[in-house]
Amino acid sequence: MHENDTTDEETALLSPNEEQVGPKPLPKVQIAIVLLLQLCEPIMSHSIYPYINQLVRGLDITGGDERKVGYYAGLIESLFFLTEAIMVMQWSRLSDRVGRKPVLLFGLIGASLSMLLFGLSRTFWTLVISRCLCGLLNGNSGVMKSAMGELTDSSNRAQAFSFMSITWAVGTTLGPLMGGTFSRPHERFPTVFGGQFWIDHPYFLPCVVVASFIAFAFTVALLFLKETAPGCRKHASTEDRSHARSIERPVALRSLLVYPVLISVSNYMALAFLSIMLFALLPLFFTMSIEIGGLGFKPSTIGYILGMYGLGNGVFQALFFARIVRRFGTRGIFVGGIVAFIPIFLLFPVMSAVAQRSGINTIVWLLIALVLLLMLLTSLAYGCIFMYITASSPNKHSLGATNGLAQTSVSLALAFGPVISTSLFSLSVEKNLLGGYAVYVVLVTISCMAVRLAARLPGKMWEEERGDEIEQS
């Protein structure tokens, strides 16, 4: 058999019959730059969580009814992902043609400018426009995963994608800390930010901090990031360039609609849908008063709680991800992460009931800690599903399109998740559905459905299955 003599649309992304003595060393500098770019994503998205509900309340679009804050906050949180879903596939496919680096750089510019516009917004519609621009101009999520896939192979991909999970955890630490610490600086740091501008724009400073970090990442990528896309690398040999051009053409969407891609993308959607509903609901639950089913925390407190979760998540991923995957397997960890959402959502009404009866006491804080611990388990699932998606790509030249399809699908889930969870919360307390707890019944039901979908993933990665078939033949 001479299966590696030719490469076509059905060639595996990784050659299963390649013999390797051990894991191939990672290109540390390039991996670090990609991780720096990825860090911008969670910082940008999570930095608004500590203050978004107060921002909506301050716009006076709720008519003074605190129970309606969830509707508008969820809409603002969803707009980025909805508009991203429109363009992310196009950005990913463009990166297959012109390279990963120019698309990544353009996305960073769009992210930085949209954050500044968000901080300057004083009306609901300017908030809407800024979040829409951010989604339309930024397709980096899928492109970064494609670059990571091209910098790794089957021997070291688990290690590299564990770094992506750690980086996301670090971002979810820094984002809320930036948002909570630097919001309303005229109250927290009046000697420095006591001017009228900061009173009129109380949430501009955290947006400036985030935009500055994105600008730093842009500079690093511009100077040091190397191209990874096949056929676009400057130092590729003439033979490699000729071969890449001979097979590079637009990838038809229907060629990606095969079982490995579909089941991997579907589970990624389910994980992202549950996660974004949780992350949108948690700060709303923390913000709302105890009387209507929340805990009544301040933005700084919310920022510290979410920041501590992110820090713990990063340490947990760094110390235990590889060991846990080796012990329980990629599929087992992913299924376990999905299962963990069930007790998480069940603990919300318990926390609310305890707070209404006894106020914010030790029991409430212990329950919050338990929720955060269970959230650590759900975060492990991301590194696992990223490996499934990368392995499901038909070949190297379909990797960008495969990640684009995955990110488009996930962006739709991320767009509707915040609206659903926060609106259900507001509807439940406004109409007193099931004592105000109907939202949690719905979320637990969705979690159970996601567990059944997760169970359909194969025990082995796609290239491992293909390798077994070749050995048997």
Side-chain angles (χ1 to χ4, degrees), residues 161-162 164-166 168-169 172 271 275 278-279 309-310 312-314 316-317 321 333-334 336-338 340-341 344 372-386:
F161 277 106
S162 70
M164 293 192 78
S165 298
I166 295 169
W168 187 269
T172 58
L271 173 61
S275 296
L278 174 59
F279 272 101
Y309 159 73
N313 189 20
F316 182 69
Q317 295 267 359
F321 178 82
I333 296 304
F334 181 81
I338 297 296
F341 282 102
I344 287 175
L372 298 181
L373 287 174
L374 289 171
M375 288 171 63
L376 295 180
L377 298 180
T378 68
S379 67
L380 293 175
Y382 276 99
C384 298
I385 200 61
F386 291 160

Side-chain angles (χ1 to χ4, degrees), residues 360-383:
I360 305 300
N361 56 17
T362 303
I363 296 177
V364 172
W365 285 110
L366 289 175
L367 291 173
I368 292 174
L370 180 57
V371 168
L372 298 181
L373 287 174
L374 289 171
M375 288 171 63
L376 295 180
L377 298 180
T378 68
S379 67
L380 293 175
Y382 276 99

